[in-house]
DNA sequence: TAATCTAACAACGA
DNA sequence: CTCGTTGTTAGATT
């Protein structure tokens, strides 16, 4: 599933490509992903202009003229693809949104994708996103802010970083290397980490996410133009590398259970 | 979508919650999922009491008083949700069935769901379910029985396990890991598998399904009370993990076409 | 990327 | 070689 590097990439491509365009048509093959009836949806968005596209954690938020907003969740994987001309429209799609000048995008959900509409006022209280924290690449996610988030918390560091209401956008793919890079065990309690260690953790979050972004994000995820990134399997440091040597100390990387998720760690570099 | 772990969970929740309740009203938005006209359906079920709820393969079978039966197929994904009070009724639904005391359930289909009614006599010869085999978690699904099922079959192992007339309840979600765990390629012919390999396959079927059941079934699938289970996306071994390493040998997991469906395999562990 | 049915065709075995 | 059985594939379904 897409984490911050993938979501930031696709939402910024959408912003660049779609801003200023006017919605002329919507075609919905499967209504279950909507929050309202398709004809009401059409009435509310046709003729509206794209003002802005951004991400809210792992959600994509499209702001339209007339105080309307589209909220998209890619669920367990989805293709969100731009087309320049009608003859590029894929054969299969769940939703097709057309703009003036015949371009548009299709959205093909396979599992649990969502395409919601809310007025700007409704959006303020929408449960899906109202408690999502700022994301790890937000300017406001500073060292100082991070330290205040940590203050008084006794939970394990992995649970903490994956909690979307504390900081959003990190998932169980990039977390392994973030923890490895800062030399901390996933089950280490925040309360037992000295400030120096927390600051190193903060740096690792930004470093690992930006490393992927600079590589164009994960290779298996398609962007708005159908391309994968250049962050490949070999770019993981310890993530998914059970049995291989640690890149720092050459000890053997282990896969351990951490609650309901798995974690990949170097047992030498990440003692608890 | 719902396979045995999800179906067993929701049908047992329905049995526990609904037994003894009397149907007072039915509201059908999409008539295509019915086998008879909605007004005839209403005539036949209103006033009837829920006697029992169980699964028949992936189907849910509700036995009513007066020798009537409701047969539900969740198709390719559906929400089947209980509500305690009318103000909890979701905005969008395909069917709403109300009981005395104002509770009820709604059903919303994604693709190809069915809501059929049959008398107990009709049910005996109903093509939809009359040839469905016992399910993979049935006590009678023993090692010995499995070997007799395999005998003389020439088809590919994936086709075989997904054939609901041979053994029911397995679908295209858990199959990936069942085949991986037993080290067999989805296109491997049954006739080319030694008995030892078939026994390993049998064990993998039970192990993977019970693993999910013990975790409360798949997290993205809602149960009768709207809750997901704890079997998350990372609990898949190779399923849906294209591009990630095999948990056994670290080779890269591939997505391949197998007939009209996709399969996720480790090319090293699952040679043909 | 999730399910099932059917029709037409292909392959196999006696 | 022919026939009946079994297996495969593509298309449709809402």
């Amino acid at each position: 599933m897409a984490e911050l590097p993938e979501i930031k990439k696709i939402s910024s491509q959408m912003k660049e490509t779609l801003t200023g365009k006017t919605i002329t048509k919507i075609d919905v093959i499967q209504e279950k992903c909507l929050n309202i009836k398709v004809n009401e949806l059409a009435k509310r968005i046709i003729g509206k202009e794209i003002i802005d596209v951004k991400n809210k954690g792992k959600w994509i938020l499209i702001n339209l003229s007339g105080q309307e907003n589209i909220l998209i969740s890619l669920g367990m994987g989805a293709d969100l693809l731009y087309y320049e001309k009608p003859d590029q429209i894929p054969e299969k799609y769940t939703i097709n949104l057309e703009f003036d000048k015949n371009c548009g995008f299709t959205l093909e959900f396979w599992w649990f994708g969502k395409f919601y509409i809310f007025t700007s006022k409704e959006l303020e209280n929408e449960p899906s996103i109202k408690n999502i924290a700022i994301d790890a690449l937000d300017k406001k996610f500073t060292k100082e802010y991070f330290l205040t988030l940590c203050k008084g918390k006794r939970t394990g560091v992995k649970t903490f970083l994956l909690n979307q209401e504390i900081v959003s956008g990190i998932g169980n793919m990039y977390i392994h290397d973030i923890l490895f890079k800062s030399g901390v065990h996933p089950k280490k309690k925040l309360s037992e980490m000295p400030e120096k260690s927390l600051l190193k953790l903060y740096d690792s979050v930004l470093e690992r996410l930006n490393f992927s972004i600079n590589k164009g994000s994960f290779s298996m995820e398609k962007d708005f133009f159908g391309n994968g990134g250049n962050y490949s399997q070999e770019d993981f440091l310890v993530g998914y590398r059970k049995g291989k040597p640690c890149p720092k100390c050459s000890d053997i990387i282990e896969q351990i259970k951490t609650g309901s998720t798995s974690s990949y760690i170097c047992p030498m570099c990440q003692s608890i």
Side-chain angles (χ1 to χ4, degrees), chain A:
Chain A
M1 201 161 107
E3 298 181 23
L4 221 32
E6 293 75 33
I7 292 284
K8 288 273 186 196
K9 182 182 186 185
I10 203 162
S11 61
S12 75
Q13 289 172 326
M14 290 174 77
K15 180 186 168 90
E16 221 162 287
T17 314
L18 303 178
T19 299
K21 293 202 162 69
T22 301
I23 298 171
T24 55
K25 193 180 155 193
I26 181 161
D27 183 14
V28 179
I29 306 295
Q30 292 309 332
E31 287 206 37
K32 189 169 181 281
C33 51
L34 307 179
N35 63 329
I36 62 169
K37 294 265 194 312
V38 64
N39 53 337
E40 294 173 32
L41 171 65
K43 233 180 283 174
R44 281 170 63 175
I45 65 171
I46 288 174
K48 298 290 177 2
E49 186 189 323
I50 307 280
I51 306 292
D52 190 25
V53 183
K54 61 184 181 182
N55 73 297
K56 176 81 181 177
K58 299 174 190 172
W59 292 76
I60 296 169
L61 183 53
I62 306 176
N63 179 236
L64 304 178
S65 57
Q67 305 285 308
E68 293 285 10
N69 302 272
I70 293 168
L71 193 57
I72 296 171
S73 165
L74 300 182
M76 196 175 158
D79 287 335
L80 178 43
L81 294 168
Y82 180 68
Y83 61 88
E84 188 79 45
K85 295 170 184 176
D87 63 2
Q88 298 164 348
I89 298 174
E91 292 234 337
K92 285 186 68 236
Y93 57 81
T94 313
I95 289 176
N96 178 10
L97 198 66
E98 284 187 28
F99 298 96
D100 48 339
K101 294 168 197 149
N102 289 318
C103 67
F105 69 78
T106 55
L107 194 42
E108 162 80 334
F109 291 132
W110 55 288
W111 266 357
F112 314 114
K114 292 178 175 62
F115 188 98
Y116 291 165
I117 180 163
F118 296 108
T119 63
S120 297
K121 196 173 170 60
E122 286 169 338
L123 203 61
E124 291 168 22
N125 288 308
E126 168 53 29
S128 309
I129 60 159
K130 84 167 170 180
N131 291 321
I132 293 181
I134 58 168
D135 69 55
L137 295 169
D138 194 300
K139 285 195 307 284
K140 285 176 286 190
F141 185 68
T142 61
K143 265 193 162 74
E144 295 69 35
Y145 178 68
F146 183 68
L147 288 178
T148 63
L149 288 177
C150 295
K151 188 156 289 179
K153 293 288 195 310
R154 288 168 296 146
T155 181
V157 59
K158 178 171 178 178
T159 309
F160 178 78
L161 284 180
L162 292 185
N163 184 339
Q164 303 297 304
E165 299 190 3
I166 290 172
V167 53
S168 67
I170 305 171
N172 204 52
M173 186 165 88
Y174 293 112
I175 188 75
H176 310 297
D177 286 356
I178 288 170
L179 296 175
F180 168 75
K181 194 90 201 271
S182 58
V184 65
H185 190 282
K187 288 182 172 172
K188 183 85 178 180
K189 300 287 177 212
L190 272 194
S191 50
E192 293 167 1
M193 290 174 66
E195 184 173 305
K196 191 178 159 188
S197 186
L198 293 173
L199 292 173
K200 194 169 176 187
L201 180 62
Y202 172 87
D203 287 338
S204 301
V205 168
L206 296 199
E207 192 276 333
R208 283 291 95 190
L209 295 179
N210 282 316
F211 179 84
S212 176
I213 284 174
N214 291 335
K215 286 233 165 190
S217 85
F218 192 49
S219 58
M220 291 294 162
E221 294 281 342
K222 280 186 190 158
D223 67 17
F224 200 43
F225 308 112
N227 304 312
N230 291 310
Y231 184 100
S232 72
Q233 194 50 50
E234 291 120 50
D235 289 309
F236 288 109
L237 300 170
V238 298
Y240 311 103
R241 297 178 74 82
K242 179 174 58 158
K244 302 226 170 86
C246 166
K248 260 189 217 161
C249 77
S250 296
D251 196 22
I252 301 298
I253 295 163
E254 286 178 3
Q255 177 180 8
I256 62 170
K257 283 277 151 207
T258 45
S260 65
T261 69
S262 270
S263 292
Y264 294 84
I265 60 161
C266 167
M268 288 286 278
C269 298
Q270 294 167 270
S271 60
I272 185 134

